Amino acid sequence: MIVVHDLVHRYRPDASPALDGVTLQIERGSLFGLLGPNGAGKTTLISLVAGLLAAQLGRITIDGQPLADFRSTQPNAIALVPQDYAFYPMLTVAENLAFFAGVQGLARSLQTERCAAAIHFARLEGVARQLAGELSGGLRRRLNLAIGLLGDPALLLLDEPTVGVDPQSRHFLLDAIRDLGEAGKTVIYTSHYMDEVEALCDRVAIIDHGKVLVQGRLTDVLRDEAPALTLRLDRALPSTLADDWAVRYPGFAHTRDSIRLHPFVAEALPGLLAELQAADCQPRALSFGTQNLEEVFMRLTRRSLRD
Amino acid sequence: MNTLIRLAALWRKETLALLRDRHGLAALFLMPAIFILVMSLALRDAFVPGMPADLGYAIVDIDRSEASQALEQQLAGIDVLREFGVLESESVAREAVASGRIAFVLVIPQGFAAQMASTRSATADPGPTLRMLADPTVPLAVRNGFRQQVEAEVTRLQLTGLLGRIGRSLMIPELHELASNAPPPQVLTEAVRGTGVGDEAGNATPQALPSSVQQNVPAWLIFSMFFVVVPISAVFIAERQHGTLQRLATQQVSFGLILAGKLLPFFVVNQVQAVVMVLVGQHLVPLAGGEALVLPASAASLFALWLMAAAVSLAAVAWALLIASVARTSEQATVIGGVGNILMGAIGGIMVPKFVMPATMQPLTQISPMAWALDGFHRVMLRDGVATDILPPAIALVSFALAALGVAILLNRRALRATR
């Protein structure tokens, strides 16, 4: 069990906190989705769990051990797969893997074994001798992931691992990550793609402005206790209307071309439609009563994940 | 064992990265080789041995006689040499010559006046002999010129004395005896090689005039050694920008280990550069019609040469890491590092030899680490210096390296903190 307790982190003493009392519980072997808009505190949280930053207030324990103790006794048990291509473009795929296996201090025979396993896992056999800088985006993502697996980590921190890849590679990566979960590894997964998180993760947390807005099992988070209305529009919602509705309707949220009311009051619908028509906006689709992760996110943060 | 495996991986990575960096390799090997070849030939005539304007001499007058003072006055009339006056002892004179402050010292021995007045045969009694302590880096022609000038003045003194005596006694037989038996003026020349180089003020500036190849080989070698800034910063900045340093920190690779991983491969590269550039000076330059570089023969001097190369390498790699830490992009690093190197080279006597700079500008060269490096190489190459002789410039370079590394570590303190 990974326990993050009341974590506070500021990058400067006079700055507002990047993390403001974050508390999370992540079960071993779970695929944990960490969601939040840019600047929400996801990277700071991941950096703290990875040991890149030292906790200023609060604590992190893994299986009851303080993080520092856990890292010193099991130096390769936590692996970070950053969003960037954190490898060397001037080295081949095989050379990159050998390097990252080497800097983990693995014995020569174990290096060879782990590199072969990583190449096999990420289906990189055909490009093992190719320079990493010449790989396609999808293959680079696979290599990035494969490097993270060299230490056979118990906890894998994946930061936007599917950004900028083609659908085929994306499916491959999602399947691979699912396999890791089934193999008993704990995965903390951050992504802008809500559908990925819904399809992959069994537990999620949404953070914004350094605070956890909701966390728990995905099914619990998605359970909608009150009906909601979502309208997709044929054009962008005028900002004057958006500002007006934000005041008039509690639980109003919107993206560029959709609005959401939660809870939804049926009597309000005719008025809304009339105002939209007056603003030359036409509804394209309407859904009622169900919500997906994106809608939960919008309801909680009052903004889109990409804002 | 674990650390060695990690270091080996880091060294291998840096080596592979460098071997695939054609531009970096060209900057490290091709550029200086071309510079050495072209500049050694182009400036060959500018380095023809001649008498520098600030060449000077001093006198140690042990005899303290009328004759010795008369000789001093005669020599003072030589316009082309600066007169440094009378030194108190021969040991002081030796130190002054060894440090390069004074090109010649004429030692007037006890009994010089008596010898001037003597009419005995030189073969019967050679008497005390004038000695000239000379800086070995002063061209032989200049040394001979000074010696002949001294001999001429001594002859003039003798004749003057003789004519005085003739005037007093009008004894013709004495004149005849002198003409046949007087000891010919003789000045024994001794080259005083560099030991204990450096003066109390700590600003030893040997007046050694290198030949074209002696100037250009070490100069462009130093310049190119500092160009490790290009490959080092390219990889280091990419590591920082792409999250590779973060990844390494997660894998508990300390920042110190990362620095060590960069220091050794580029130290080796710098040493290979030194060997290659010396070979260019020894073999390629003469093939093109220039003078061949000759290294000191003694093992102690060769060891001192290697020590200098090691000190320069340490300074160059530390400088590169500092630039890589300051710059945000590899383009910035290339510009800052490149311009910095050119400025250090221009100020430090790499591009324009220090001795052709105006006297007012020469002290400025000492602000450039490249000048310290060139000074160290010249102490060995021109004066057969040994390890103790190159200590001042070597210590300065190592201090510079430590300071640069310290600042680089401070600038990367976040990465350091991450490794805890």
Side-chain angles (χ1 to χ4, degrees):
Chain A
M1 173 84 83
I2 300 160
V3 176
V4 175
H5 182 75
D6 206 14
L7 218 50
V8 178
H9 191 84
R10 282 184 167 83
Y11 285 100
R12 289 191 315 276
D14 56 339
S16 54
L19 292 181
D20 190 5
V22 168
T23 296
L24 290 174
Q25 291 193 347
I26 302 166
E27 288 174 12
R28 265 205 176 247
S30 66
L31 283 168
F32 190 90
L34 187 60
L35 301 169
N38 289 332
K42 300 190 302 289
T43 303
T44 305
L45 180 56
I46 285 212
S47 298
L48 283 158
V49 175
L52 290 170
L53 295 173
Q56 294 167 343
L57 281 175
R59 65 175 187 275
I60 301 171
T61 60
I62 298 180
D63 296 340
Q65 266 188 305
L67 178 65
D69 294 348
F70 180 82
R71 289 185 77 217
S72 64
T73 53
Q74 300 182 58
N76 297 329
I78 301 175
L80 170 68
V81 177
Q83 183 178 343
D84 292 317
Y85 299 124
F87 49 75
Y88 296 92
M90 74 293 282
L91 303 188
T92 67
V93 168
E95 286 166 350
N96 266 296
L97 289 166
F99 166 70
F100 284 103
V103 288
Q104 293 184 53
L106 303 180
R108 173 72 79 175
S109 57
L110 198 55
Q111 282 184 37
T112 310
E113 184 187 314
R114 293 275 176 83
C115 288
I119 285 177
H120 177 70
F121 177 83
R123 301 281 188 272
L124 292 168
E125 292 92 341
V127 293
R129 290 178 185 280
Q130 201 168 321
L131 291 180
E134 294 174 354
L135 298 177
S136 66
L139 286 169
R140 287 183 195 206
R141 287 277 166 222
R142 290 197 221 173
L143 174 58
N144 217 23
L145 177 61
I147 290 168
L149 300 175
L150 289 167
D152 193 21
L155 171 59
L156 199 57
L157 307 168
L158 304 180
D159 192 5
E160 305 272 0
T162 60
V163 167
V165 301
D166 57 274
Q168 192 182 354
S169 291
R170 190 172 168 217
H171 280 299
F172 174 84
L173 285 165
L174 293 178
D175 285 344
I177 294 163
R178 199 173 285 114
D179 290 345
L180 291 171
E182 286 171 6
K185 295 196 184 302
T186 307
V187 177
I188 298 180
Y189 186 94
T190 76
S191 178
H192 274 131
Y193 300 115
M194 299 288 189
D195 55 334
E196 281 182 7
V197 176
E198 270 190 63
L200 204 60
C201 299
D202 44 22
R203 301 181 73 89
V204 295
I206 296 175
I207 64 173
D208 195 16
H209 298 302
K211 291 179 184 294
V212 177
L213 302 181
V214 68
Q215 67 169 309
R217 292 186 176 283
L218 180 66
T219 48
D220 295 339
V221 171
L222 290 179
R223 186 176 299 136
D224 201 357
E225 292 168 359
L229 171 79
T230 304
L231 274 175
R232 295 208 178 275
L233 309 174
D234 65 344
R235 49 165 291 197
L237 183 70
S239 58
T240 51
L241 206 52
D243 294 342
D244 183 28
W245 286 358
V247 175
R248 282 163 49 196
Y249 300 108
F252 168 80
H254 75 102
T255 62
R256 202 183 71 83
D257 60 353
S258 74
I259 64 168
R260 176 179 165 76
L261 283 176
H262 181 269
F264 171 60
V265 184
E267 291 75 22
L269 185 58
L272 283 173
L273 293 174
E275 286 184 69
L276 280 174
Q277 197 162 17
D280 202 20
C281 262
Q282 296 300 326
R284 272 191 328 185
L286 182 148
S287 61
F288 178 73
T290 58
Q291 62 176 354
N292 57 26
L293 203 47
E294 185 161 10
E295 289 163 342
V296 173
F297 185 87
M298 282 172 57
R299 175 167 61 84
L300 291 172
T301 65
R302 291 188 156 243
R303 56 182 168 152
S304 161
L305 193 56
R306 289 171 201 287
D307 285 350
Chain B
M1 184 63 187
N2 196 284
T3 304
L4 271 182
I5 292 172
R6 288 169 175 234
L7 266 177
L10 287 163
W11 290 338
R12 185 165 187 271
K13 177 260 294 178
E14 291 293 341
T15 308
L16 286 171
L18 177 64
L19 289 175
R20 287 170 191 164
D21 179 3
R22 289 178 191 170
H23 297 107
L25 285 175
L28 295 180
F29 290 97
L30 197 59
M31 176 193 74
I34 291 172
F35 268 125
I36 288 171
L37 198 58
V38 171
M39 301 302 275
S40 293
L41 297 175
L43 296 177
R44 189 174 48 183
D45 292 343
F47 288 82
V48 166
M51 191 177 290
D54 59 350
L55 216 57
Y57 75 98
I59 288 171
V60 176
D61 187 357
I62 301 171
D63 195 45
R64 295 178 191 277
S65 60
E66 270 186 34
S68 63
Q69 282 169 14
L71 177 61
E72 287 168 36
Q73 283 173 6
Q74 298 277 19
L75 289 173
I78 304 174
D79 294 336
V80 292
L81 290 176
R82 270 171 68 191
E83 186 192 352
F84 284 93
V86 178
L87 300 179
E88 59 192 35
S89 69
E90 188 173 331
S91 61
V92 172
R94 284 181 178 277
E95 189 191 334
V97 174
S99 69
R101 290 199 305 273
I102 299 175
F104 308 110
V105 173
L106 186 66
V107 181
I108 305 176
Q110 188 76 46
F112 172 73
Q115 189 194 19
M116 287 292 99
S118 171
T119 58
R120 283 178 297 176
S121 163
T123 49
D125 177 13
T129 307
L130 285 172
R131 282 181 297 120
M132 184 180 93
L133 308 180
D135 184 338
T137 63
V138 174
L140 188 60
V142 180
R143 277 190 262 172
N144 286 339
F146 182 73
R147 185 168 54 81
Q148 286 162 7
Q149 190 79 38
V150 172
E151 288 169 351
E153 297 305 334
V154 169
T155 305
R156 191 183 304 170
L157 272 178
Q158 282 180 318
L159 288 172
T160 306
L162 175 63
L163 289 174
R165 286 195 294 276
I166 291 170
R168 282 193 298 272
S169 65
L170 295 175
M171 291 177 65
I172 300 304
E174 187 180 354
L175 177 60
H176 174 73
E177 198 177 346
L178 174 68
S180 56
N181 296 328
Q186 189 181 18
V187 179
L188 293 182
T189 306
E190 180 187 348
V192 179
R193 299 219 173 258
T195 51
V197 178
D199 61 9
E200 286 178 4
N203 60 347
T205 50
Q207 302 294 327
L209 282 186
S211 67
S212 180
V213 74
Q214 282 173 329
Q215 162 71 20
N216 283 301
V217 169
W220 295 110
L221 167 63
I222 293 161
F223 191 65
S224 66
M225 285 168 93
F226 272 82
F227 261 86
V228 291
V229 70
V230 175
I232 285 182
S233 58
V235 174
F236 189 72
I237 289 170
E239 285 175 329
R240 201 174 58 212
Q241 283 181 333
H242 297 161
T244 318
L245 282 184
Q246 283 188 325
R247 177 170 243 165
L248 292 174
T250 313
Q251 294 172 341
Q252 306 206 34
V253 182
S254 70
F255 191 66
L257 203 64
I258 292 171
L259 285 186
K262 292 182 185 300
L263 277 171
L264 187 78
F266 283 95
F267 181 83
V268 172
V269 165
N270 281 158
Q271 304 315 303
V272 174
Q273 280 181 292
V275 171
V276 171
M277 297 317 142
V278 164
L279 289 175
V280 167
Q282 286 181 321
H283 301 289
L284 214 54
V285 173
L287 271 182
E291 176 198 349
L293 179 72
V294 178
L295 291 183
S298 76
S301 291
L302 289 174
F303 176 68
L305 213 52
W306 176 79
L307 275 185
M308 269 317 297
V312 178
S313 176
L314 201 59
V317 177
W319 162 251
L321 287 170
L322 174 62
I323 295 295
S325 303
V326 169
R328 292 184 177 179
T329 64
S330 54
E331 289 79 11
Q332 263 187 13
T334 305
V335 171
I336 297 172
V339 170
N341 282 355
I342 289 168
L343 283 177
M344 281 197 289
I347 296 169
I350 300 294
M351 294 165 180
V352 179
K354 179 184 164 187
F355 63 83
V356 304
M357 292 179 184
T360 51
M361 200 177 163
Q362 289 189 14
L364 270 181
T365 60
Q366 290 309 307
I367 65 172
S368 167
M370 288 192 189
W372 314 336
L374 191 57
D375 174 30
F377 276 119
H378 278 164
R379 287 175 188 228
V380 181
M381 295 171 86
L382 305 183
R383 300 173 179 282
D384 291 349
V386 293
T388 50
D389 300 326
I390 53 117
L391 276 182
I395 288 172
L397 285 166
V398 172
S399 305
F400 171 80
L402 292 177
L405 274 180
V407 178
I409 287 171
L410 278 178
L411 291 172
N412 289 279
R413 62 183 183 277
R414 181 180 284 186
L416 269 176
R417 201 186 308 137
T419 61
R420 286 179 198 152

